[in-house]
Amino acid sequence: MTGKDSGEALNQLISRERHTYDLALDVLGQKYARKILIMIASNKDIFSVEALREFEILNPSVENKTVKKLIELGFAEKLSRGNYKIIDPMFEECILRRFS
């Protein structure tokens, strides 16, 4: 399989799962959930002042509650202090493609 083939296969998988990912995002329903998922997928320090400004998150406590909800629902996991990861790599790729 070439790089082109694997890229096409990934595109097809994401396209096929897009409805499922859209439903997952709808379940989250929180105003900041998508922004925080983008931050996590982009490997940003999600609690930095710069990231909060860039993503227009005015209240760090709202961000903290949203991160906890993402973890509770199984969308993300905490790796270390301030370092999080989206559990499903295809979901992460879908978020990067759609919202970055």
Side-chain angles (χ1 to χ4, degrees), residues 41-75:
S42 302
N43 294 315
K44 299 215 181 251
D45 178 359
I46 65 172
F47 295 110
S48 72
V49 174
E50 296 82 19
L52 292 172
R53 281 190 199 131
E54 179 182 347
F55 287 89
E56 300 174 347
I57 299 175
L58 305 175
N59 188 338
S61 68
V62 170
E63 179 184 34
N64 195 34
K65 288 178 187 176
T66 304
V67 169
K68 285 181 181 180
K69 180 156 182 127
L70 290 171
I71 292 169
E72 287 173 16
L73 293 173
F75 289 101

PDB file of all heavy atoms in Angstrom, residues 41-75:
ATOM      1  N   ALA A  41      -6.523  18.349  19.900  1.00  0.00           N
ATOM      2  CA  ALA A  41      -6.054  17.720  18.661  1.00  0.00           C
ATOM      3  C   ALA A  41      -4.841  18.436  18.083  1.00  0.00           C
ATOM      4  O   ALA A  41      -3.987  17.821  17.457  1.00  0.00           O
ATOM      5  CB  ALA A  41      -7.181  17.682  17.628  1.00  0.00           C
ATOM      6  N   SER A  42      -4.748  19.741  18.327  1.00  0.00           N
ATOM      7  CA  SER A  42      -3.632  20.541  17.810  1.00  0.00           C
ATOM      8  C   SER A  42      -2.433  20.543  18.744  1.00  0.00           C
ATOM      9  O   SER A  42      -1.463  21.264  18.512  1.00  0.00           O
ATOM     10  CB  SER A  42      -4.094  21.980  17.584  1.00  0.00           C
ATOM     11  OG  SER A  42      -5.178  22.025  16.703  1.00  0.00           O
ATOM     12  N   ASN A  43      -2.504  19.749  19.815  1.00  0.00           N
ATOM     13  CA  ASN A  43      -1.423  19.658  20.808  1.00  0.00           C
ATOM     14  C   ASN A  43      -1.090  21.000  21.429  1.00  0.00           C
ATOM     15  O   ASN A  43       0.077  21.304  21.680  1.00  0.00           O
ATOM     16  CB  ASN A  43      -0.171  19.019  20.195  1.00  0.00           C
ATOM     17  CG  ASN A  43      -0.394  17.580  19.818  1.00  0.00           C
ATOM     18  OD1 ASN A  43      -0.973  16.823  20.590  1.00  0.00           O
ATOM     19  ND2 ASN A  43       0.027  17.213  18.633  1.00  0.00           N
ATOM     20  N   LYS A  44      -2.101  21.790  21.677  1.00  0.00           N
ATOM     21  CA  LYS A  44      -1.891  23.087  22.335  1.00  0.00           C
ATOM     22  C   LYS A  44      -1.925  22.885  23.842  1.00  0.00           C
ATOM     23  O   LYS A  44      -2.552  21.968  24.358  1.00  0.00           O
ATOM     24  CB  LYS A  44      -2.984  24.060  21.926  1.00  0.00           C
ATOM     25  CG  LYS A  44      -3.014  24.339  20.442  1.00  0.00           C
ATOM     26  CD  LYS A  44      -3.392  25.748  20.191  1.00  0.00           C
ATOM     27  CE  LYS A  44      -3.445  25.987  18.701  1.00  0.00           C
ATOM     28  NZ  LYS A  44      -2.391  26.795  18.218  1.00  0.00           N
ATOM     29  N   ASP A  45      -1.254  23.782  24.552  1.00  0.00           N
ATOM     30  CA  ASP A  45      -1.356  23.827  26.003  1.00  0.00           C
ATOM     31  C   ASP A  45      -2.708  24.458  26.295  1.00  0.00           C
ATOM     32  O   ASP A  45      -2.855  25.678  26.243  1.00  0.00           O
ATOM     33  CB  ASP A  45      -0.211  24.654  26.599  1.00  0.00           C
ATOM     34  CG  ASP A  45      -0.301  24.775  28.098  1.00  0.00           C
ATOM     35  OD1 ASP A  45      -1.258  24.243  28.713  1.00  0.00           O
ATOM     36  OD2 ASP A  45       0.590  25.413  28.683  1.00  0.00           O
ATOM     37  N   ILE A  46      -3.705  23.639  26.556  1.00  0.00           N
ATOM     38  CA  ILE A  46      -5.074  24.132  26.596  1.00  0.00           C
ATOM     39  C   ILE A  46      -5.353  25.108  27.733  1.00  0.00           C
ATOM     40  O   ILE A  46      -6.350  25.820  27.684  1.00  0.00           O
ATOM     41  CB  ILE A  46      -6.095  22.978  26.620  1.00  0.00           C
ATOM     42  CG1 ILE A  46      -5.984  22.156  27.898  1.00  0.00           C
ATOM     43  CG2 ILE A  46      -5.939  22.104  25.398  1.00  0.00           C
ATOM     44  CD1 ILE A  46      -7.095  21.148  28.047  1.00  0.00           C
ATOM     45  N   PHE A  47      -4.502  25.153  28.727  1.00  0.00           N
ATOM     46  CA  PHE A  47      -4.719  26.074  29.834  1.00  0.00           C
ATOM     47  C   PHE A  47      -3.838  27.318  29.752  1.00  0.00           C
ATOM     48  O   PHE A  47      -3.818  28.124  30.673  1.00  0.00           O
ATOM     49  CB  PHE A  47      -4.532  25.355  31.167  1.00  0.00           C
ATOM     50  CG  PHE A  47      -5.561  24.286  31.398  1.00  0.00           C
ATOM     51  CD1 PHE A  47      -5.217  22.952  31.371  1.00  0.00           C
ATOM     52  CD2 PHE A  47      -6.890  24.617  31.607  1.00  0.00           C
ATOM     53  CE1 PHE A  47      -6.160  21.953  31.569  1.00  0.00           C
ATOM     54  CE2 PHE A  47      -7.851  23.637  31.804  1.00  0.00           C
ATOM     55  CZ  PHE A  47      -7.480  22.304  31.778  1.00  0.00           C
ATOM     56  N   SER A  48      -3.121  27.480  28.644  1.00  0.00           N
ATOM     57  CA  SER A  48      -2.270  28.666  28.507  1.00  0.00           C
ATOM     58  C   SER A  48      -3.126  29.893  28.193  1.00  0.00           C
ATOM     59  O   SER A  48      -4.195  29.788  27.582  1.00  0.00           O
ATOM     60  CB  SER A  48      -1.231  28.472  27.394  1.00  0.00           C
ATOM     61  OG  SER A  48      -1.855  28.512  26.121  1.00  0.00           O
ATOM     62  N   VAL A  49      -2.659  31.035  28.593  1.00  0.00           N
ATOM     63  CA  VAL A  49      -3.357  32.287  28.341  1.00  0.00           C
ATOM     64  C   VAL A  49      -3.505  32.517  26.837  1.00  0.00           C
ATOM     65  O   VAL A  49      -4.565  32.946  26.363  1.00  0.00           O
ATOM     66  CB  VAL A  49      -2.606  33.471  29.007  1.00  0.00           C
ATOM     67  CG1 VAL A  49      -3.238  34.800  28.624  1.00  0.00           C
ATOM     68  CG2 VAL A  49      -2.577  33.300  30.515  1.00  0.00           C
ATOM     69  N   GLU A  50      -2.470  32.175  26.079  1.00  0.00           N
ATOM     70  CA  GLU A  50      -2.508  32.368  24.626  1.00  0.00           C
ATOM     71  C   GLU A  50      -3.606  31.525  23.985  1.00  0.00           C
ATOM     72  O   GLU A  50      -4.338  31.989  23.118  1.00  0.00           O
ATOM     73  CB  GLU A  50      -1.156  32.017  23.985  1.00  0.00           C
ATOM     74  CG  GLU A  50      -0.004  32.910  24.400  1.00  0.00           C
ATOM     75  CD  GLU A  50       0.601  32.509  25.742  1.00  0.00           C
ATOM     76  OE1 GLU A  50       0.403  31.362  26.211  1.00  0.00           O
ATOM     77  OE2 GLU A  50       1.258  33.369  26.350  1.00  0.00           O
ATOM     78  N   ALA A  51      -3.712  30.253  24.407  1.00  0.00           N
ATOM     79  CA  ALA A  51      -4.735  29.363  23.844  1.00  0.00           C
ATOM     80  C   ALA A  51      -6.129  29.846  24.215  1.00  0.00           C
ATOM     81  O   ALA A  51      -7.040  29.838  23.377  1.00  0.00           O
ATOM     82  CB  ALA A  51      -4.515  27.935  24.320  1.00  0.00           C
ATOM     83  N   LEU A  52      -6.295  30.283  25.449  1.00  0.00           N
ATOM     84  CA  LEU A  52      -7.602  30.797  25.878  1.00  0.00           C
ATOM     85  C   LEU A  52      -8.009  32.005  25.036  1.00  0.00           C
ATOM     86  O   LEU A  52      -9.162  32.118  24.621  1.00  0.00           O
ATOM     87  CB  LEU A  52      -7.577  31.160  27.361  1.00  0.00           C
ATOM     88  CG  LEU A  52      -7.435  29.986  28.331  1.00  0.00           C
ATOM     89  CD1 LEU A  52      -7.231  30.483  29.748  1.00  0.00           C
ATOM     90  CD2 LEU A  52      -8.646  29.077  28.251  1.00  0.00           C
ATOM     91  N   ARG A  53      -7.067  32.884  24.773  1.00  0.00           N
ATOM     92  CA  ARG A  53      -7.358  34.056  23.927  1.00  0.00           C
ATOM     93  C   ARG A  53      -7.644  33.649  22.488  1.00  0.00           C
ATOM     94  O   ARG A  53      -8.593  34.124  21.879  1.00  0.00           O
ATOM     95  CB  ARG A  53      -6.188  35.031  23.953  1.00  0.00           C
ATOM     96  CG  ARG A  53      -6.140  35.868  25.174  1.00  0.00           C
ATOM     97  CD  ARG A  53      -5.111  36.986  25.028  1.00  0.00           C
ATOM     98  NE  ARG A  53      -4.777  37.483  26.341  1.00  0.00           N
ATOM     99  CZ  ARG A  53      -3.564  37.657  26.803  1.00  0.00           C
ATOM    100  NH1 ARG A  53      -2.516  37.418  26.047  1.00  0.00           N
ATOM    101  NH2 ARG A  53      -3.361  38.108  28.010  1.00  0.00           N
ATOM    102  N   GLU A  54      -6.790  32.784  21.945  1.00  0.00           N
ATOM    103  CA  GLU A  54      -6.934  32.361  20.550  1.00  0.00           C
ATOM    104  C   GLU A  54      -8.298  31.730  20.294  1.00  0.00           C
ATOM    105  O   GLU A  54      -8.919  31.978  19.264  1.00  0.00           O
ATOM    106  CB  GLU A  54      -5.834  31.359  20.193  1.00  0.00           C
ATOM    107  CG  GLU A  54      -5.920  30.843  18.778  1.00  0.00           C
ATOM    108  CD  GLU A  54      -4.849  29.805  18.455  1.00  0.00           C
ATOM    109  OE1 GLU A  54      -3.885  29.644  19.234  1.00  0.00           O
ATOM    110  OE2 GLU A  54      -5.002  29.150  17.418  1.00  0.00           O
ATOM    111  N   PHE A  55      -8.767  30.938  21.244  1.00  0.00           N
ATOM    112  CA  PHE A  55     -10.037  30.236  21.063  1.00  0.00           C
ATOM    113  C   PHE A  55     -11.202  30.939  21.753  1.00  0.00           C
ATOM    114  O   PHE A  55     -12.293  30.384  21.849  1.00  0.00           O
ATOM    115  CB  PHE A  55      -9.910  28.786  21.529  1.00  0.00           C
ATOM    116  CG  PHE A  55      -9.095  27.960  20.587  1.00  0.00           C
ATOM    117  CD1 PHE A  55      -7.723  27.862  20.735  1.00  0.00           C
ATOM    118  CD2 PHE A  55      -9.687  27.314  19.517  1.00  0.00           C
ATOM    119  CE1 PHE A  55      -6.960  27.111  19.859  1.00  0.00           C
ATOM    120  CE2 PHE A  55      -8.936  26.565  18.632  1.00  0.00           C
ATOM    121  CZ  PHE A  55      -7.572  26.464  18.794  1.00  0.00           C
ATOM    122  N   GLU A  56     -10.953  32.149  22.224  1.00  0.00           N
ATOM    123  CA  GLU A  56     -11.980  33.012  22.809  1.00  0.00           C
ATOM    124  C   GLU A  56     -12.737  32.329  23.946  1.00  0.00           C
ATOM    125  O   GLU A  56     -13.964  32.344  24.005  1.00  0.00           O
ATOM    126  CB  GLU A  56     -12.939  33.492  21.728  1.00  0.00           C
ATOM    127  CG  GLU A  56     -12.234  34.290  20.644  1.00  0.00           C
ATOM    128  CD  GLU A  56     -13.144  34.653  19.488  1.00  0.00           C
ATOM    129  OE1 GLU A  56     -14.262  34.106  19.366  1.00  0.00           O
ATOM    130  OE2 GLU A  56     -12.722  35.490  18.673  1.00  0.00           O
ATOM    131  N   ILE A  57     -11.982  31.720  24.834  1.00  0.00           N
ATOM    132  CA  ILE A  57     -12.552  31.119  26.036  1.00  0.00           C
ATOM    133  C   ILE A  57     -12.258  32.083  27.175  1.00  0.00           C
ATOM    134  O   ILE A  57     -11.110  32.254  27.579  1.00  0.00           O
ATOM    135  CB  ILE A  57     -11.960  29.720  26.294  1.00  0.00           C
ATOM    136  CG1 ILE A  57     -12.295  28.802  25.118  1.00  0.00           C
ATOM    137  CG2 ILE A  57     -12.497  29.155  27.609  1.00  0.00           C
ATOM    138  CD1 ILE A  57     -11.666  27.444  25.187  1.00  0.00           C
ATOM    139  N   LEU A  58     -13.304  32.715  27.650  1.00  0.00           N
ATOM    140  CA  LEU A  58     -13.142  33.807  28.607  1.00  0.00           C
ATOM    141  C   LEU A  58     -13.015  33.335  30.050  1.00  0.00           C
ATOM    142  O   LEU A  58     -12.499  34.058  30.885  1.00  0.00           O
ATOM    143  CB  LEU A  58     -14.317  34.778  28.487  1.00  0.00           C
ATOM    144  CG  LEU A  58     -14.557  35.336  27.074  1.00  0.00           C
ATOM    145  CD1 LEU A  58     -15.815  36.183  27.048  1.00  0.00           C
ATOM    146  CD2 LEU A  58     -13.351  36.128  26.606  1.00  0.00           C
ATOM    147  N   ASN A  59     -13.489  32.134  30.329  1.00  0.00           N
ATOM    148  CA  ASN A  59     -13.505  31.671  31.699  1.00  0.00           C
ATOM    149  C   ASN A  59     -12.800  30.308  31.807  1.00  0.00           C
ATOM    150  O   ASN A  59     -13.331  29.295  31.345  1.00  0.00           O
ATOM    151  CB  ASN A  59     -14.963  31.557  32.164  1.00  0.00           C
ATOM    152  CG  ASN A  59     -15.094  31.263  33.628  1.00  0.00           C
ATOM    153  OD1 ASN A  59     -14.166  30.756  34.263  1.00  0.00           O
ATOM    154  ND2 ASN A  59     -16.259  31.559  34.173  1.00  0.00           N
ATOM    155  N   PRO A  60     -11.624  30.271  32.433  1.00  0.00           N
ATOM    156  CA  PRO A  60     -10.893  29.003  32.560  1.00  0.00           C
ATOM    157  C   PRO A  60     -11.661  27.919  33.321  1.00  0.00           C
ATOM    158  O   PRO A  60     -11.474  26.735  33.057  1.00  0.00           O
ATOM    159  CB  PRO A  60      -9.617  29.384  33.316  1.00  0.00           C
ATOM    160  CG  PRO A  60      -9.468  30.843  33.102  1.00  0.00           C
ATOM    161  CD  PRO A  60     -10.859  31.392  32.958  1.00  0.00           C
ATOM    162  N   SER A  61     -12.551  28.299  34.229  1.00  0.00           N
ATOM    163  CA  SER A  61     -13.315  27.277  34.961  1.00  0.00           C
ATOM    164  C   SER A  61     -14.292  26.554  34.033  1.00  0.00           C
ATOM    165  O   SER A  61     -14.532  25.357  34.190  1.00  0.00           O
ATOM    166  CB  SER A  61     -14.040  27.876  36.163  1.00  0.00           C
ATOM    167  OG  SER A  61     -15.064  28.747  35.746  1.00  0.00           O
ATOM    168  N   VAL A  62     -14.838  27.264  33.041  1.00  0.00           N
ATOM    169  CA  VAL A  62     -15.703  26.633  32.043  1.00  0.00           C
ATOM    170  C   VAL A  62     -14.881  25.640  31.235  1.00  0.00           C
ATOM    171  O   VAL A  62     -15.335  24.526  30.936  1.00  0.00           O
ATOM    172  CB  VAL A  62     -16.358  27.690  31.126  1.00  0.00           C
ATOM    173  CG1 VAL A  62     -17.063  27.042  29.955  1.00  0.00           C
ATOM    174  CG2 VAL A  62     -17.311  28.553  31.919  1.00  0.00           C
ATOM    175  N   GLU A  63     -13.679  26.025  30.901  1.00  0.00           N
ATOM    176  CA  GLU A  63     -12.793  25.138  30.152  1.00  0.00           C
ATOM    177  C   GLU A  63     -12.505  23.874  30.971  1.00  0.00           C
ATOM    178  O   GLU A  63     -12.568  22.758  30.454  1.00  0.00           O
ATOM    179  CB  GLU A  63     -11.493  25.849  29.800  1.00  0.00           C
ATOM    180  CG  GLU A  63     -10.529  24.962  29.048  1.00  0.00           C
ATOM    181  CD  GLU A  63      -9.210  25.640  28.779  1.00  0.00           C
ATOM    182  OE1 GLU A  63      -8.751  26.442  29.605  1.00  0.00           O
ATOM    183  OE2 GLU A  63      -8.634  25.338  27.728  1.00  0.00           O
ATOM    184  N   ASN A  64     -12.213  24.037  32.229  1.00  0.00           N
ATOM    185  CA  ASN A  64     -11.914  22.907  33.095  1.00  0.00           C
ATOM    186  C   ASN A  64     -13.107  21.950  33.185  1.00  0.00           C
ATOM    187  O   ASN A  64     -12.943  20.727  33.092  1.00  0.00           O
ATOM    188  CB  ASN A  64     -11.513  23.401  34.480  1.00  0.00           C
ATOM    189  CG  ASN A  64     -10.861  22.330  35.310  1.00  0.00           C
ATOM    190  OD1 ASN A  64     -10.156  21.478  34.800  1.00  0.00           O
ATOM    191  ND2 ASN A  64     -11.109  22.380  36.605  1.00  0.00           N
ATOM    192  N   LYS A  65     -14.316  22.488  33.344  1.00  0.00           N
ATOM    193  CA  LYS A  65     -15.519  21.657  33.397  1.00  0.00           C
ATOM    194  C   LYS A  65     -15.733  20.917  32.082  1.00  0.00           C
ATOM    195  O   LYS A  65     -16.123  19.751  32.067  1.00  0.00           O
ATOM    196  CB  LYS A  65     -16.745  22.517  33.706  1.00  0.00           C
ATOM    197  CG  LYS A  65     -16.795  23.021  35.119  1.00  0.00           C
ATOM    198  CD  LYS A  65     -18.009  23.905  35.330  1.00  0.00           C
ATOM    199  CE  LYS A  65     -17.972  24.559  36.692  1.00  0.00           C
ATOM    200  NZ  LYS A  65     -19.089  25.488  36.892  1.00  0.00           N
ATOM    201  N   THR A  66     -15.461  21.585  30.972  1.00  0.00           N
ATOM    202  CA  THR A  66     -15.633  20.964  29.657  1.00  0.00           C
ATOM    203  C   THR A  66     -14.637  19.828  29.465  1.00  0.00           C
ATOM    204  O   THR A  66     -15.000  18.757  28.968  1.00  0.00           O
ATOM    205  CB  THR A  66     -15.488  22.012  28.541  1.00  0.00           C
ATOM    206  OG1 THR A  66     -16.432  23.068  28.767  1.00  0.00           O
ATOM    207  CG2 THR A  66     -15.732  21.403  27.173  1.00  0.00           C
ATOM    208  N   VAL A  67     -13.406  20.033  29.875  1.00  0.00           N
ATOM    209  CA  VAL A  67     -12.390  18.981  29.774  1.00  0.00           C
ATOM    210  C   VAL A  67     -12.807  17.772  30.608  1.00  0.00           C
ATOM    211  O   VAL A  67     -12.713  16.626  30.158  1.00  0.00           O
ATOM    212  CB  VAL A  67     -10.996  19.502  30.198  1.00  0.00           C
ATOM    213  CG1 VAL A  67     -10.008  18.365  30.352  1.00  0.00           C
ATOM    214  CG2 VAL A  67     -10.487  20.521  29.206  1.00  0.00           C
ATOM    215  N   LYS A  68     -13.291  18.008  31.798  1.00  0.00           N
ATOM    216  CA  LYS A  68     -13.747  16.907  32.653  1.00  0.00           C
ATOM    217  C   LYS A  68     -14.885  16.137  31.987  1.00  0.00           C
ATOM    218  O   LYS A  68     -14.927  14.911  32.033  1.00  0.00           O
ATOM    219  CB  LYS A  68     -14.190  17.432  34.015  1.00  0.00           C
ATOM    220  CG  LYS A  68     -13.033  17.815  34.902  1.00  0.00           C
ATOM    221  CD  LYS A  68     -13.506  18.301  36.250  1.00  0.00           C
ATOM    222  CE  LYS A  68     -12.313  18.711  37.099  1.00  0.00           C
ATOM    223  NZ  LYS A  68     -12.715  19.196  38.410  1.00  0.00           N
ATOM    224  N   LYS A  69     -15.801  16.859  31.338  1.00  0.00           N
ATOM    225  CA  LYS A  69     -16.912  16.206  30.646  1.00  0.00           C
ATOM    226  C   LYS A  69     -16.400  15.369  29.466  1.00  0.00           C
ATOM    227  O   LYS A  69     -16.879  14.253  29.244  1.00  0.00           O
ATOM    228  CB  LYS A  69     -17.922  17.227  30.164  1.00  0.00           C
ATOM    229  CG  LYS A  69     -19.094  16.599  29.444  1.00  0.00           C
ATOM    230  CD  LYS A  69     -20.315  17.457  29.487  1.00  0.00           C
ATOM    231  CE  LYS A  69     -21.437  16.730  28.777  1.00  0.00           C
ATOM    232  NZ  LYS A  69     -22.616  16.624  29.557  1.00  0.00           N
ATOM    233  N   LEU A  70     -15.442  15.895  28.724  1.00  0.00           N
ATOM    234  CA  LEU A  70     -14.862  15.143  27.604  1.00  0.00           C
ATOM    235  C   LEU A  70     -14.236  13.838  28.094  1.00  0.00           C
ATOM    236  O   LEU A  70     -14.336  12.804  27.438  1.00  0.00           O
ATOM    237  CB  LEU A  70     -13.824  15.990  26.869  1.00  0.00           C
ATOM    238  CG  LEU A  70     -14.366  17.171  26.073  1.00  0.00           C
ATOM    239  CD1 LEU A  70     -13.226  18.050  25.589  1.00  0.00           C
ATOM    240  CD2 LEU A  70     -15.222  16.705  24.917  1.00  0.00           C
ATOM    241  N   ILE A  71     -13.589  13.885  29.243  1.00  0.00           N
ATOM    242  CA  ILE A  71     -12.971  12.693  29.825  1.00  0.00           C
ATOM    243  C   ILE A  71     -14.053  11.714  30.295  1.00  0.00           C
ATOM    244  O   ILE A  71     -13.993  10.522  30.010  1.00  0.00           O
ATOM    245  CB  ILE A  71     -12.014  13.072  30.967  1.00  0.00           C
ATOM    246  CG1 ILE A  71     -10.799  13.818  30.391  1.00  0.00           C
ATOM    247  CG2 ILE A  71     -11.580  11.834  31.758  1.00  0.00           C
ATOM    248  CD1 ILE A  71      -9.914  14.460  31.435  1.00  0.00           C
ATOM    249  N   GLU A  72     -15.061  12.228  31.000  1.00  0.00           N
ATOM    250  CA  GLU A  72     -16.146  11.380  31.501  1.00  0.00           C
ATOM    251  C   GLU A  72     -16.864  10.646  30.369  1.00  0.00           C
ATOM    252  O   GLU A  72     -17.241   9.483  30.511  1.00  0.00           O
ATOM    253  CB  GLU A  72     -17.170  12.217  32.264  1.00  0.00           C
ATOM    254  CG  GLU A  72     -16.721  12.688  33.613  1.00  0.00           C
ATOM    255  CD  GLU A  72     -17.717  13.649  34.249  1.00  0.00           C
ATOM    256  OE1 GLU A  72     -18.877  13.716  33.793  1.00  0.00           O
ATOM    257  OE2 GLU A  72     -17.329  14.343  35.203  1.00  0.00           O
ATOM    258  N   LEU A  73     -17.063  11.325  29.241  1.00  0.00           N
ATOM    259  CA  LEU A  73     -17.779  10.739  28.114  1.00  0.00           C
ATOM    260  C   LEU A  73     -16.879   9.874  27.219  1.00  0.00           C
ATOM    261  O   LEU A  73     -17.345   9.294  26.250  1.00  0.00           O
ATOM    262  CB  LEU A  73     -18.444  11.836  27.284  1.00  0.00           C
ATOM    263  CG  LEU A  73     -19.569  12.584  27.982  1.00  0.00           C
ATOM    264  CD1 LEU A  73     -20.044  13.752  27.136  1.00  0.00           C
ATOM    265  CD2 LEU A  73     -20.729  11.635  28.296  1.00  0.00           C
ATOM    266  N   GLY A  74     -15.587   9.810  27.541  1.00  0.00           N
ATOM    267  CA  GLY A  74     -14.678   8.946  26.811  1.00  0.00           C
ATOM    268  C   GLY A  74     -14.130   9.524  25.515  1.00  0.00           C
ATOM    269  O   GLY A  74     -13.633   8.788  24.677  1.00  0.00           O
ATOM    270  N   PHE A  75     -14.206  10.834  25.362  1.00  0.00           N
ATOM    271  CA  PHE A  75     -13.656  11.469  24.168  1.00  0.00           C
ATOM    272  C   PHE A  75     -12.172  11.783  24.316  1.00  0.00           C
ATOM    273  O   PHE A  75     -11.450  11.830  23.325  1.00  0.00           O
ATOM    274  CB  PHE A  75     -14.405  12.773  23.846  1.00  0.00           C
ATOM    275  CG  PHE A  75     -15.787  12.546  23.347  1.00  0.00           C
ATOM    276  CD1 PHE A  75     -16.880  12.713  24.190  1.00  0.00           C
ATOM    277  CD2 PHE A  75     -16.022  12.170  22.036  1.00  0.00           C
ATOM    278  CE1 PHE A  75     -18.164  12.515  23.735  1.00  0.00           C
ATOM    279  CE2 PHE A  75     -17.304  11.966  21.570  1.00  0.00           C
ATOM    280  CZ  PHE A  75     -18.385  12.134  22.426  1.00  0.00           C
TER     281      PHE A  75
END
